Every structure is written in structure tokens, then in C-alpha cells.
Amino acid sequence: MIGAHAGTIAHRRAPRRCRDAYAGPVGDAGTGEQTSGTLSPAARTWRMAVTVVVLLLLLAGSLVGTDAWFPVGPFKMYARATSPDATITMLNVEAVTVTGEVVPLKTDKVLGLRRAELEGNAPRIAEDPSMLGALAEDYRAAAPETPELVEVRLVGTRVPMKDGRAVGEGTDEVRAVWVLE
Amino acid sequence: MRWFEPVALGRIAALRVIAYLFIPLDALVITYWAPRHGGVPEEFYRPLEFVRWLPVPRPTELIVPVAAVLLLVVALTAAGMTIAGSRAAARPRDTVIRALGVLVAVLYLYWMVVAMSYGKVDHDRFAFLVLLFVLPTVAGARLGDRRATESAGWAVRAVQVAVVLTYFLAAIAKLRFGGLAWVNSGTYARAVIRRGTVLVNWTLQVPAVLVAFQWFTVIFELLSPVLLFLRNERVRLALVFGLYGFHAMTYLALGIAFWPHLVALAAFLPLERIPVRPKRRSAERAAQ
């Protein structure tokens, strides 16, 4: 390459004279780049056009979009305001085995279905509890060591808050039930 | 804002290595739940908008592992070639790296369809996706390369803007969905109850701490565009490391880290100054 660069190899800690400066032909016709390291007007134009389109989509996503607009949807993680006196709910799936034992279904580990994904689907499960049946079936297919199940439930553990403090023990509430045949 | 201020090509090469090596880590460890989505009942699949417009296959038990293997092989090849490429940047090799980069971007986007179509969408991917899509637009980048070009400048700038907008628009989303009351709400208390670690459970007895953090979050998110206009590099670097610290704290508190976003955040770092092994340099000199 260029002598000034090569010279710094022996004593790397010495201050570099041409820091970040152009020092050799760079250019590639494919990117509209010229050998001086500058972009041709056409290469600049398409880059700015793409930039503007993506920025507009992103802005629209943030103002009126939904999660389904991913990757330009609103960045709304933790964006909802929870009242300091609200009751917090955490959803889980549990099942009853043929021997009457209640076991948790680890949908996260087995099916990759995280708690937040269960919650995203909760309204639809409440409307159509047969989704729990399908879930149990695929769960047992993915984890064959699971004993035979007779019932699947979507359970919400509720923890009350007062002035932003957790008060009292959590209580469980069954949100949906599906009996397996 | 300066969209085409030249940036050293070495930063692009370094970002390629980091991003392409991050992908296997992401697909196998961090988003470990995504590869299992192929086995989730069809009823749980909720297609993203852009998928409705394009002929994108629905994730199935067959397609998901095939997509995963393809993504990993292509990403690792691109990373390996970028590392090896610091020895000699022959034109064909450079073209292959960039073509592989396009494939990585498209396959990763499909991987996001697999990950984000089951009831929950994450918000730490935007800047990383931008990074993957702009990396192939730069030609001739080698590790440690200090030559600055406008094409590298635009690519780096685009990622930086995406990173900053992720913060800024997160504040806008809080205003949209939570309203002004968000800053004094119990949102962080809820987060701690649901997934707090032993390090932060005490805050549930001292809610003022969590409310103070809510104010801090919104203020810093609204001020984040400052990063794009700072001319003093030391101050900018200090702020970027401050951001890494903030994310480390969030991880310790809630077990949540925005890993892909943290990779994109590295676009602010002068990665071109990482010394390439002297052996390589002399080999490179000998070749010219």
C-alpha cells in the first residue's frame, strides 16, 4: 500500500499522520464510486432516495403503525403506562395429566413460544380455546417425554400493586380451558 | 446533517466481521426460541404486513431449519472471507463478500419473519437490519483500512441514524401509547415484578427510584439525536460507552439486552483503528 501507512507498523503507537485520510485508489464502478473515494451524483441520488423512503416508512410506523409493520413498526416496548395501582398479570400454560397431576407446560423452552407471545395470543385463545389443544399436541410432539394430558389451561398469575409497590401474594386465575379427547 | 462525510473503509470491514459473526450467536443462543417456531400450531402465526405483499413462505418445520442453516453458512462464510480478505483485497473476492452480504441481509430478514410472527415483536432489530442492508453497498473494504470514502460514510451514517431513531422513536411511542403520564406510571414496577432480577427487586419497595429512571429514560431518548451532531469525537465516544453502560444496567436489572441493537451501536466506534496483525500487514505490503 502506501509508504506512510507501512511506516507506522514498526512503531504503532506513534501518532499517525494521515489518520482516516484518503491514501490510494478506492473506487468501484458497481457502487458509482470514483477512484478519489467520492460518489457520483447518481450514486448519491439513489442512496438519498432509499434513505428518505425508509425514514418516511419509519416515521409513519411510529405515528400510526402497528406491530405488524415490523421492521418499521412503533418502538413500543414498555411504552404503555401501567397505573401504579394496577394488578400485574403473568400468563402461563399448565396441563393436567392422566394421573391428575398438574404440570407446567414450558412453551418457551419447548416451542419457542415466550410469555410475551402467549400474551399477544391471549385474546384469541380466550375466544377459541381449541388453540390450547393444538398447542398441547405440538408440545407433546416436540417433547415426547411429556405424559399424556387430559386438560390444558391458560393461567394468569395476578400480583396487585399499590403506589407502585407489590403488595400481597400473587393469585392464579384460569383464563381458558381446553379438555383433550 | 452530513450524509456523505467520508469514513474509513476499515470500519465497514470490522462491522462486517462483528455483524456476520453475531448472527450465529443470535440465531442459536440469543433468540433460541425462534428456530422452534416451526413447531408452533399454525393458529398462532400472525403474518407481518410486508409478508402479505411478498411471496414469503410461512415458517414450517421444514423451512425453518433450512433457512437457519443457509443463514449461518452464508454469514460465517462472509465473516471468514472478510477476515481473510485483509491479506489481499482482490476484486473478485470483494464482489463475493458483497454478494454474500446481500444474501445475509435477505435471509436475516426472513429469520425475523420466523421470529416475530407469533404474537410478539421485538424492537431491537431495526438498526441491525439497516446495518446488514447497507454493508454490501461499500466496495473494497479491508480490516484496518484507513482510507476514507463517501460510500463508507453513507453506510455508517445510515446505521448511526437508525440507532439514534430507535431511541428517539421509543420516546415518541411512549407518548403515543402511554401519554405524558408514562413518566410517573408504574411501568418499570410492572417490568420488575414480571422479570426483575435479585439485583433490583428491592426497588419494588422504593417506587420513587423506578419513577426517576422513567424520567431519565425519556429525557435521554429525546436527547439522543445529539449523538449525530457532536463534532467532538471524545465526547461522542464517551456518550456511546455511556449507552453501552445503560444497556448493561438494563440487562442486570431485567435480563433484557437489545443485542442486535448493541452490534449496530458499534457503528459509532472507530473500529478501523483496531490494529490488524503485523504479519498480515507485511504480507500485504509484499503483495503490492
Side-chain angles (χ1 to χ4, degrees):
Chain A
M1 217 176 38
I2 293 296
H5 263 239
T8 59
I9 295 160
H11 33 90
R12 281 213 307 264
R13 304 210 173 259
R16 293 173 187 257
R17 290 233 175 101
C18 62
R19 175 171 290 181
D20 292 353
Y22 165 70
V26 280
D28 183 295
T31 55
E33 201 170 348
Q34 288 146 9
T35 47
S36 59
T38 57
L39 287 168
S40 69
R44 280 184 174 230
T45 305
W46 78 252
R47 281 174 172 81
M48 280 324 291
V50 172
T51 308
V52 169
V53 168
V54 172
L55 285 177
L56 286 177
L57 283 173
L58 190 65
L59 191 67
S62 278
L63 295 179
V64 298
T66 64
D67 268 348
W69 285 38
F70 180 92
V72 292
F75 297 103
K76 69 183 180 63
M77 237 170 169
Y78 295 109
R80 289 186 194 285
T82 306
S83 156
D85 298 319
T87 296
I88 310 303
T89 305
M90 291 168 272
L91 290 185
N92 288 295
V93 180
E94 60 181 38
V96 183
T97 67
V98 275
T99 57
E101 197 188 346
V102 178
V103 293
L105 294 193
K106 298 178 186 101
T107 58
D108 178 321
K109 291 277 176 304
V110 173
L111 292 175
L113 205 62
R114 297 164 295 159
R115 191 161 72 193
E117 289 172 315
L118 277 178
E119 285 164 354
N121 276 294
R124 300 198 314 156
I125 296 175
E127 232 168 69
D128 175 16
S130 75
M131 284 173 75
L132 288 175
L135 191 70
E137 203 172 295
D138 285 1
Y139 187 93
R140 286 196 68 211
E145 70 282 3
T146 314
E148 204 178 315
L149 307 172
V150 291
E151 191 181 298
V152 199
R153 308 167 181 154
L154 183 65
V155 180
T157 302
R158 295 162 60 82
V159 179
M161 283 199 301
K162 181 95 187 93
D163 296 331
R165 296 166 208 253
V167 289
E169 294 294 305
T171 49
D172 283 356
E173 176 193 74
V174 175
R175 293 292 190 85
V177 183
W178 183 251
V179 178
L180 298 157
E181 280 143 38
Chain B
M1 193 175 358
R2 304 177 190 203
W3 283 96
F4 295 102
E5 188 166 288
V7 166
L9 286 167
R11 191 175 312 187
I12 297 295
L15 285 170
R16 274 190 185 133
V17 174
I18 298 172
Y20 298 157
L21 286 182
F22 168 77
I23 284 175
L25 187 72
D26 183 41
L28 299 176
V29 184
I30 297 168
T31 46
Y32 66 90
W33 35 269
R36 298 173 199 175
H37 274 165
V40 172
E42 202 175 328
E43 296 93 314
F44 285 77
Y45 177 63
R46 310 173 89 178
L48 300 169
E49 284 298 334
F50 82 89
V51 169
R52 294 175 205 259
W53 299 86
L54 299 167
V56 180
R58 188 181 83 78
T60 63
E61 269 173 272
L62 177 70
I63 291 176
V64 171
V66 171
V69 169
L70 267 177
L71 174 63
L72 299 196
V73 168
V74 176
L76 284 173
T77 311
M81 287 185 73
T82 306
I83 294 169
S86 63
R87 198 178 289 268
R91 178 70 171 281
R93 185 206 292 270
D94 188 52
T95 309
V96 171
I97 291 175
R98 292 172 55 204
L100 290 176
V102 174
L103 264 180
V104 171
V106 171
L107 284 166
Y108 191 83
L109 186 60
Y110 182 68
W111 193 246
M112 290 300 99
V113 171
V114 174
M116 306 298 170
S117 300
Y118 292 85
K120 166 81 189 333
V121 169
D122 290 341
H123 304 99
D124 56 352
R125 310 281 154 164
F126 179 69
F128 187 66
L129 281 164
V130 169
L131 173 66
L132 292 183
F133 276 96
V134 297
L135 281 177
T137 65
V138 184
R142 286 181 289 166
L143 289 173
D145 193 340
R146 300 267 187 117
R147 297 170 305 160
T149 72
E150 289 185 349
S151 67
W154 176 78
V156 165
R157 203 58 171 164
V159 179
Q160 291 177 340
V161 169
V163 166
V164 164
L165 282 179
T166 301
Y167 294 120
F168 185 76
L169 293 175
I172 301 300
K174 288 177 180 83
L175 284 174
R176 177 181 160 194
F177 295 100
L180 284 173
W182 188 89
V183 281
N184 290 323
S185 71
T187 298
Y188 280 4
R190 172 173 179 265
V192 172
I193 288 175
R194 285 162 55 93
R195 51 181 312 150
T197 63
V198 284
L199 291 173
V200 288
N201 283 335
W202 60 272
T203 57
L204 288 176
Q205 300 314 320
V206 200
V209 173
L210 294 172
V211 169
F213 267 110
Q214 286 170 181
W215 278 90
F216 168 77
T217 305
V218 169
I219 290 169
F220 119 72
E221 283 175 348
L222 287 175
L223 289 179
S224 60
V226 166
L227 267 177
L228 298 174
F229 301 98
L230 275 176
R231 305 300 297 172
N232 184 322
E233 201 194 346
R234 266 193 197 176
V235 178
R236 194 176 57 225
L237 279 181
L239 285 179
V240 169
F241 283 116
L243 283 175
Y244 277 113
F246 167 78
H247 288 291
M249 212 167 63
T250 312
Y251 183 64
L252 291 176
L254 298 175
I256 297 174
F258 307 98
W259 299 108
H261 177 80
L262 297 179
V263 171
L265 184 56
F268 279 101
L269 304 177
L271 300 169
E272 62 276 17
R273 288 192 215 147
I274 298 172
V276 181
R277 273 188 293 162
K279 223 179 179 180
R280 287 241 168 92
R281 283 276 186 94
S282 27
E284 174 189 300
R285 224 182 337 165
Q288 295 191 5

